[in-house]
Amino acid sequence: MVVYPKNNPKTEVNYLTGTTCLNQIVTPFLHNLPIRINGSFTPKLFFEQLISLAINRQSVHSGRKTNQKFLSDTALYHHLNKFTMGELIEASYPLLWETAKKHLPKSKEYEIAIDYTYDPYYGDRTDENRAYINDAQRKKSTHKFYAYATLSIVNRNEKFILAALPLKKEHTNLEYVQLMLTVLDKHKIRPKVIYMDGGFYGKDVFAYLESRNIPFVCPMPLKRGRIQTIVDSVKKTQTISYEVRGKHRWGNPVPVKMGVIVKRVVKKGEKVTKKYLFAYYGVLWSAKKVSKMYEHRFSIEATYRIRNDVKPRTSTRNPVIRYLFALVSFVIENVWVALQNTHFIKKQRGPKVMDEDMFRLECFKTLVNSRLRRILKEICCCPVLR
């Protein structure tokens, strides 16, 4: 005989709704990127339309085709052209920081990644966009790109983007590194180590980081000459002292440690020896550990793929509009990571463990889109001709 208790305790379940998700995205834009709009069309509705374009991977022209309460492409471009590049750059710092600050305690040290992300461009160079189009290795059938320098945290469960700046030809790698470190200093974030892309390799960058006593790791180019001669003599993984010199070889060289990682890989059915080089400073790691720790930087490659899933489609030449669309995608990604850290951490002792399967990106996009469909009045019927 089974006896049931009189007072059966009820389990309370909290739910995350599309309204909450959408508000988390819209609020930072309203706080940090003001725009003056007259009439019944409000700034909130303007940013909701941009978010809808990003979530659904639509262009400005196609948004009107699926939603009744959506501006025409002419009207939307009118409001998009109100922004300037200077205003967006100035607003980008607090905009991205607002989405991440609640989850980044100042007492903790963070692994930082500084990188370039590229958006392919297939149009012509004009006076309007010439300074922002960068040539790079051919990818997706083009060698022309709009590029952005990004500052990211690559700690587990805390992969936030704290800065994203448009890349201009007239600025050097050192200038972008200095701007990124200014962001860390402003928010009092202590870098445990900085992982840099191979494009930042150079004497000026290394000298600046060493002058500030900031540990870093950066891949080295395997070129002919002095580096090639040293590497050819190395038969196993080891660390070697090395001096980085400038392009014109004047001034004092910058001392670093060069980690040479020797691996045997199978290529076309045969075992081939491959060598990977890293320049690093300020970390008491072996060459093998440097290679393993640098793999943490590859997590931002996944974030770039995520950004491509929440980025509006566009063919405009205007670099300001393209930069605004990039900021929208970065904010959406940050909010998703923030919601994971807020609502999907397992209740248990020990280190923080996130249940990532409960809140995938597709689930987040579905919740946001369900709310946007109500706000923008998704088309539910269509007139016919016969």
Side-chain angles (χ1 to χ4, degrees):
M1 180 178 174
V2 180
V3 180
Y4 294 97
K6 293 182 179 179
N7 297 324
N8 190 16
K10 296 181 179 179
T11 305
E12 294 185 1
V13 179
N14 296 322
Y15 294 94
L16 184 62
T17 64
T19 302
T20 303
C21 295
L22 180 59
N23 289 340
Q24 293 282 333
I25 304 172
V26 175
T27 302
F29 284 103
L30 296 177
H31 288 171
N32 302 288
L33 201 59
I35 179 173
R36 181 174 294 179
I37 300 177
N38 297 324
S40 59
F41 188 68
T42 62
K44 185 174 184 292
L45 192 56
F46 169 74
F47 288 117
E48 286 172 344
Q49 293 192 4
L50 295 187
I51 295 166
S52 176
L53 296 179
I55 292 292
N56 294 289
R57 296 287 286 120
Q58 291 180 320
S59 65
V60 173
H61 178 68
S62 59
R64 185 70 178 268
K65 296 179 180 180
T66 56
N67 298 282
Q68 300 178 41
K69 202 174 178 181
F70 208 96
L71 287 182
S72 64
D73 50 349
T74 304
L76 196 55
Y77 272 120
H78 168 73
H79 294 300
L80 288 171
N81 288 323
K82 292 180 179 180
F83 297 103
T84 64
M85 185 62 79
E87 291 173 349
L88 289 182
I89 292 175
E90 192 68 26
S92 66
Y93 301 114
L95 179 66
L96 294 170
W97 175 248
E98 185 172 340
T99 61
K101 61 183 179 181
K102 294 181 181 179
H103 306 281
L104 300 177
K106 297 179 181 178
S107 58
K108 185 177 178 181
E109 291 184 337
Y110 296 94
E111 296 179 43
I112 306 294
I114 300 177
D115 198 12
Y116 291 138
T117 176
Y118 295 89
D119 289 344
Y121 174 67
Y122 301 95
D124 298 326
R125 288 182 171 91
T126 63
D127 294 337
E128 181 183 25
N129 63 10
R130 193 180 305 276
Y132 294 93
I133 295 179
N134 299 268
D135 293 317
Q137 185 177 0
R138 193 173 186 85
K139 183 179 179 183
K140 293 185 178 179
S141 304
T142 183
H143 59 85
K144 296 180 290 186
F145 300 88
Y146 283 92
Y148 305 99
T150 59
L151 174 71
S152 309
I153 292 179
V154 293
N155 288 43
R156 185 178 180 182
N157 300 334
E158 296 167 339
K159 295 177 175 60
F160 292 100
I161 298 170
L162 300 183
L165 300 174
L167 191 63
K168 294 185 70 174
K169 294 180 180 179
E170 61 192 50
H171 297 307
T172 63
N173 291 335
L174 177 59
E175 290 176 313
Y176 284 107
V177 170
Q178 290 173 335
L179 287 172
M180 298 303 177
L181 294 184
T182 302
V183 175
L184 297 180
D185 294 338
K186 181 179 179 180
H187 301 307
K188 299 180 180 180
I189 292 179
R190 295 181 296 166
K192 180 180 180 181
V193 61
I194 292 180
Y195 303 116
M196 292 185 293
D197 182 70
F200 288 92
Y201 179 86
K203 174 185 172 182
D204 294 340
V205 174
F206 291 172
Y208 176 73
L209 292 174
E210 290 189 16
S211 67
R212 295 195 52 179
N213 197 27
I214 297 177
F216 64 84
V217 179
C218 181
M220 297 181 67
L222 187 58
K223 298 180 178 179
R224 295 178 182 177
R226 191 161 56 103
I227 296 179
Q228 185 68 57
T229 304
I230 295 173
V231 173
D232 288 343
S233 63
V234 176
K235 303 301 180 184
K236 61 180 182 180
T237 299
Q238 59 181 285
T239 301
I240 303 171
S241 297
Y242 185 77
E243 291 183 340
V244 180
R245 300 172 183 173
K247 184 181 294 186
H248 303 289
R249 297 184 180 276
W250 59 59
N252 297 326
V254 179
V256 297
K257 290 183 179 180
M258 180 170 68
V260 184
I261 292 85
V262 181
K263 292 184 179 181
R264 298 280 290 177
V265 297
V266 178
K267 188 176 182 181
K268 295 182 180 180
E270 297 181 0
K271 286 189 176 181
V272 181
T273 300
K274 277 200 168 186
K275 297 178 180 180
Y276 304 91
L277 309 181
F278 292 93
Y280 62 98
Y281 164 84
V283 291
L284 302 176
W285 297 339
S286 64
K288 189 174 182 180
K289 186 175 181 180
V290 167
S291 176
K292 185 176 180 180
M293 295 299 290
Y294 188 77
E295 292 177 1
H296 293 187
R297 193 198 74 86
F298 297 139
S299 63
I300 64 174
E301 303 295 338
T303 66
Y304 295 153
R305 289 194 295 271
I306 292 171
R307 186 178 79 88
N308 289 332
D309 288 339
V310 289
K311 184 176 67 175
R313 294 182 182 273
T314 182
S315 58
T316 181
R317 297 174 180 174
N318 191 334
V320 179
I321 295 177
R322 282 183 173 263
Y323 182 43
L324 176 58
F325 285 173
L327 288 178
V328 171
S329 61
F330 283 131
V331 169
I332 291 174
E333 183 182 342
N334 273 6
V335 169
W336 174 56
V337 176
L339 289 172
Q340 284 183 318
N341 278 272
T342 303
H343 301 289
F344 298 95
I345 300 298
K346 295 182 179 180
K347 296 180 180 180
Q348 61 183 27
R349 293 183 179 181
K352 183 171 68 173
V353 178
M354 181 186 297
D355 192 343
E356 297 179 356
D357 290 332
M358 288 187 66
F359 195 57
R360 292 288 185 181
L361 179 65
E362 291 302 321
C363 178
F364 172 63
K365 290 169 58 178
T366 302
L367 289 176
V368 175
N369 202 25
S370 65
R371 180 57 184 163
L372 287 170
R373 287 172 179 173
R374 298 189 187 96
I375 294 173
L376 302 177
K377 295 184 179 180
E378 184 182 30
I379 296 174
C380 57
C381 60
C382 182
V384 297
L385 296 178
R386 59 172 68 184

